[in-house]
Amino acid sequence: VQTKKEETLPPSHSQNIPTFYFPRGCPKEKVNIDAVIAKIEKTFSEFPNERATLEDMGKVAKACECPLYWKGPLFYCAGGERTGYVSVHKFVAMWRKVLQTCYDDAAKFVHLLMNPGCNYLVQEDFIPFLQDVVNSHPGLSFLKEASEFHSRYITTVIQRIFYTVNRSWSGKITCNELRKSNFLQNVALLEEEPDINQLTEYFSYEHFYVIYCKFWELDTDHDLYIDRKDLARHNDHAISNRMIERIFSGAVTRGRKAQKDGKISYADFVWFLISEEDKKTPTSIEYWFRCMDLDGDGALSMYELEYFYEEQCQKLDNMAIEPLPFEDCLCQMLDLVKPQHEGKITLHDLKRCKLTNVFFDTFFNIEKYLDHEQKDQFSMLRDGEGESQDVSDWEKYAAEEYDILVAEEAASDQWNDGYEAELNPVDHQKASVLKYQMEKRPFFEMPSHLADVDLDEYDYDEDFE
C-alpha cells in the first residue's frame, strides 16, 4: 500500500478575532469627552469658587447627561462627603476616568457606587444614594422631620433591589445583572414621577408601609428580629410549621448571627413576605424551591412533597375537612407542573408552569390551598395568563393591605379622639409631620406605634452575605 505523502500546510496567519466581551459596556461611537468636560466646567463656573454642594449636583448630573438622582453617587464618588463640596478639578478628573473606562449606564452606576477595587455592588453601597432620594424626592418630603424612619425605608428598598436584580443570590450585584434588570429605568423615573408610590417595583412608600406594619405585628418585643413562633403567627398560622423550620434553616437567609439565635431579621422578612404573596416571580420560585428541596439535590422528590403534604393533611383533619389522599394530590400536581423527567420536579419545570402559586400553596399554605380548591382550574389559568401581565400578585396584595391599614388607623383615630395624649405615644408635632398628603388618600397618617421603634442602623454584612 502506497502511503500518501503528507502535504505541508502553509504557515497559518494569526487571525484578529474582534472583541466580544464587554464587562463595562460595549464602546459605541467615539464620545467627544472634551465636549462633555467643557459642558461640566461651564456648569461649575456658575457656583461660588467653582465648587458644587450636594444641592448643586442636580445641574452637574444634567451636564453629565445622567438622570437627576445620580446626583448623590456623582457627589460621593468625587469625594464630596469629606468636605461638603466638590471642586471642578476633582470632579472633572473623576468623570473623565468614568467616560474613558465605562461605556454604558450600568457600568457607570456600578463604578460610582462601588468600593475601590470592587467590580460589583453590595448592600451598603446603596445607602448614600437612597438617603439622598429620601432627602430630596418630593414624594418623600413628609419624612424630612422624621429621620428615624429613613433607615427602615432604605433597608426595605435595598432588599427589594437585591430581590429583583441579584439573580445569582450572591449578595453582589454585577454590571451584567444591573444591565439585565429594569432598576436604572426606575431610577430615571424618580425624576419624572412626583408620587413615589407609582414606582411599585422598588421605591413605593406604601409597599414599605405594608411590609413594616406586617413585621411590627409579629415582632412583639420590637427588637427587629422574629423567631419561629413569631413567624408562625403570620396570616393566622397559614404557613406550615415544617416550612417555617426550613426558612429558619438558612436555606433562604444569610445572617449567621440571627440563625445562631434562631431568629431572622427585618431584611429577611422582606424577602419572605414578597415571596409569600407572589409565588410567580423567578426569585419567589427559587425561594420556595430552596425551602422544599430538603436534600439540596436540585430536584423535588416525591418524598419531599409528601413530607410537606403530611402537615397539610393534619391541619385539614383539625378543621374537620377530609384531605385528598397524597397519591391523588400528587397526580394533580404532576398534571399541573408537567415535569420533564418522571419522578422529580426541577426548578426549570416550576418556572415553566403558569400556576406555581397553586403548586406551592398546596404543600405549605393551608388558607390559600383552600382558596384554590374552591376555584375551578380554568378560572385559575385565566388569572395566571391574563392579570399577571398587568398587575402582579404582590402589587394587588400591597394595595389591598394598605387600604385596610389606613382604614384601621382612621377608625382608631376616631375612637381615640379626646384620649390622644394618654393612648398615643406620638406627640402632636410628630403626628402632624407624618401626615402624608396624597391625591387618592388625603389624610394618611403613619400608625402611631411605629415611632416607638429603636431604629439603629442595620448591620448589612450579617443580613446578607
Side-chain angles (χ1 to χ4, degrees), residues 227-273:
D227 59 21
R228 289 169 174 80
K229 288 182 180 177
D230 294 328
L231 190 60
R233 288 188 292 106
H234 174 72
N235 202 13
D236 197 22
H237 296 268
I239 308 291
S240 72
N241 290 321
R242 289 182 176 182
M243 178 50 71
I244 286 170
E245 284 297 322
R246 285 296 294 159
I247 292 168
F248 280 83
S249 72
V252 286
T253 53
R254 312 283 178 91
R256 288 188 303 243
K257 178 184 173 186
Q259 281 172 26
K260 187 177 73 174
D261 297 337
K263 295 185 176 182
I264 61 172
S265 67
Y266 171 66
D268 294 320
F269 182 79
V270 175
W271 284 62
F272 162 77
L273 188 63

Side-chain angles (χ1 to χ4, degrees), residues 391-442:
V391 183
S392 70
D393 287 350
W394 164 252
E395 288 177 55
K396 283 186 279 187
Y397 167 82
E400 290 167 7
E401 287 297 320
Y402 181 81
D403 286 337
I404 292 168
L405 288 165
V406 171
E408 287 175 352
E409 180 64 16
S412 174
D413 283 350
Q414 285 182 343
W415 192 84
N416 289 342
D417 192 25
Y419 299 92
E420 198 163 346
E422 182 182 345
L423 298 175
N424 192 340
V426 183
D427 59 40
H428 290 282
Q429 183 181 4
K430 182 66 66 64
S432 66
V433 164
L434 296 175
K435 292 286 184 186
Y436 191 8
Q437 300 299 329
M438 294 170 55
E439 290 178 10
K440 292 183 182 176
R441 305 177 182 87

Side-chain angles (χ1 to χ4, degrees), residues 248-343:
F248 280 83
S249 72
V252 286
T253 53
R254 312 283 178 91
R256 288 188 303 243
K257 178 184 173 186
Q259 281 172 26
K260 187 177 73 174
D261 297 337
K263 295 185 176 182
I264 61 172
S265 67
Y266 171 66
D268 294 320
F269 182 79
V270 175
W271 284 62
F272 162 77
L273 188 63
I274 296 174
S275 299
E276 164 56 15
E277 295 304 333
D278 190 347
K279 298 186 175 78
K280 296 174 185 172
T281 66
T283 304
S284 65
I285 294 170
E286 290 162 11
Y287 185 98
W288 297 117
F289 184 87
R290 282 169 174 243
C291 288
M292 291 187 72
D293 185 14
L294 299 173
D295 56 9
D297 67 347
L300 303 183
S301 65
M302 302 309 105
Y303 160 75
E304 285 162 332
L305 299 184
E306 188 173 19
Y307 172 78
F308 287 101
Y309 190 67
E310 277 176 2
E311 188 176 343
Q312 296 291 76
C313 290
Q314 291 168 10
K315 285 192 172 187
L316 290 169
D317 279 334
N318 295 338
M319 298 164 74
I321 299 173
E322 186 177 353
L324 196 66
F326 175 68
E327 290 75 15
D328 296 343
C329 173
L330 184 60
C331 288
Q332 284 186 1
M333 292 301 104
L334 292 176
D335 286 344
L336 185 78
V337 176
K338 297 180 176 60
Q340 289 183 322
H341 302 287
E342 189 179 347

